[in-house]
Amino acid sequence: MSGIVQEYIVDYIRGLIGEDTGVLKDLEDYATKEHVPIVQKEVASFLKFMVTIQKPKKILELGTAIGYSSILMNIASNGNSIITTIERERDMIDIAEKNIQNYGFEKKIKILEGDCLEILPKLEEKYDLIFMDAGKGHYNDFFPYCLKLLEYNGIIIADNVLFRGMVASDELVQKRKITIVKRMRTYLDMLCNNNELVTSVIPIGDGIAITTRRNTDE
Ligand SMILES: C[S@@+](CC[C@H](N)C(=O)[O-])C[C@H]1O[C@@H](n2cnc3c(N)ncnc32)[C@H](O)[C@@H]1O
């Protein structure tokens, strides 16, 4: 249960989405068995949709885990995207690299090992789509770098922004999560009060925020 949307709605939408197949099913099964957090089904479906309409050539992901969302986005682009994904945990990288090799994505997905805060300042290429799915408490720190690395018409998607509903309601906040919750609220306030940006906060999965630059074309 996500804590964001009523369970019967989640169940219904998941029923519509249906089961993954092939590599994505294998990776999803592994993630479930080994308790590795990967994007929830509705977010996976949203990412597929965004990649299909935006047709990003270059994607940056923060948080690889076992490579599920990287592979999903590459498949959604029909193999027409190059994905750079950042991960700091060596054991996750080992599994992701194996998956990327075994399923034939090694020319399309590159993992950068390290903390996002160390790696982001060193990147120079621009990206059409940036997917933030690591270090929930640090989105405020990651964002200025991500904006710099974003193509003019690019899109930033941040996952977990409603964090089990805690971000939207003090009554749900667990004491030990208060710092993350406060930081996430600051992140969403910053996005929604920046006149140069357009942001939509969408209550699917654990909550996502999708951001782009305001259109200033004449
Ligand atoms: C939710 S998982 C990513 C799931 C993946 N995007 C997917 O859906 O298949 C988050 C990952 O980010 C990594 N992570 C957390 N904080 C990080 C940081 N500051 N820099 C790099 N990686 C980080 C964690 O080790 C974890 O593997």
Side-chain angles (χ1 to χ4, degrees):
M1 171 66 180
S2 68
I4 305 292
V5 179
Q6 288 180 333
E7 209 156 349
Y8 75 96
I9 301 279
V10 174
D11 290 345
Y12 177 69
I13 294 174
R14 289 188 179 181
L16 291 174
I17 293 168
E19 286 292 311
D20 271 335
T21 53
V23 48
L24 293 176
K25 167 105 177 88
D26 295 349
L27 267 57
E28 195 192 331
D29 287 349
Y30 178 90
T32 306
K33 191 165 137 256
E34 300 297 329
H35 308 288
V36 178
I38 60 169
V39 281
Q40 295 187 31
K41 265 188 177 301
E42 310 82 271
V43 176
S45 161
F46 182 82
L47 284 178
K48 275 188 209 167
F49 180 83
M50 287 309 302
V51 169
T52 304
I53 59 166
Q54 195 210 10
K55 301 183 172 50
K57 292 277 171 241
K58 282 189 277 163
I59 298 175
L60 176 66
E61 175 181 68
L62 316 190
T64 317
I66 59 169
Y68 175 83
S69 50
S70 285
I71 290 176
L72 174 136
M73 290 190 281
N74 188 263
I75 292 173
S77 76
N78 266 334
N80 292 317
S81 58
I82 297 291
I83 301 177
T84 303
T85 177
I86 306 173
E87 175 59 56
R88 69 177 178 195
E89 299 296 333
R90 187 65 236 179
D91 53 343
M92 283 293 129
I93 293 173
D94 288 341
I95 299 165
E97 273 173 349
K98 234 184 254 163
N99 288 331
I100 287 166
Q101 286 269 333
N102 289 348
Y103 292 99
F105 291 89
E106 62 274 23
K107 291 207 174 98
K108 302 293 181 178
I109 302 172
K110 183 172 76 178
I111 303 175
L112 301 180
E113 179 171 5
D115 195 289
C116 293
L117 266 182
E118 282 168 22
I119 291 183
L120 284 170
K122 295 180 190 155
L123 298 180
E124 286 176 352
E125 256 185 284
K126 299 262 184 191
Y127 298 91
D128 305 297
L129 176 63
I130 300 180
F131 179 47
M132 290 170 57
D133 193 20
K136 286 184 275 295
H138 296 283
Y139 284 5
N140 292 298
D141 305 315
F142 301 155
F143 186 77
Y145 295 109
C146 291
L147 197 57
K148 235 192 215 167
L149 296 169
L150 192 68
E151 283 287 4
Y152 180 71
N153 286 316
I155 290 170
I156 298 176
I157 300 172
D159 199 10
N160 307 107
V161 298
L162 296 174
F163 195 27
R164 300 181 217 151
M166 287 187 255
V167 171
S169 168
D170 281 338
E171 281 170 28
L172 297 175
V173 177
Q174 297 161 13
K175 234 179 173 175
R176 64 200 160 85
K177 303 289 185 197
I178 188 77
T179 304
I180 293 182
V181 170
K182 279 186 181 162
R183 289 180 180 176
M184 199 59 93
R185 287 176 181 165
T186 304
Y187 178 67
L188 293 178
D189 284 346
M190 177 277 294
L191 291 182
C192 294
N193 290 302
N194 185 329
N195 279 334
E196 289 170 19
L197 305 174
V198 178
T199 293
S200 179
V201 179
I202 308 173
I204 57 171
D206 198 24
I208 59 173
I210 173 162
T211 300
T212 191
R213 291 191 179 88
R214 187 172 293 284
N215 189 348
T216 53
D217 297 347
E218 293 294 312

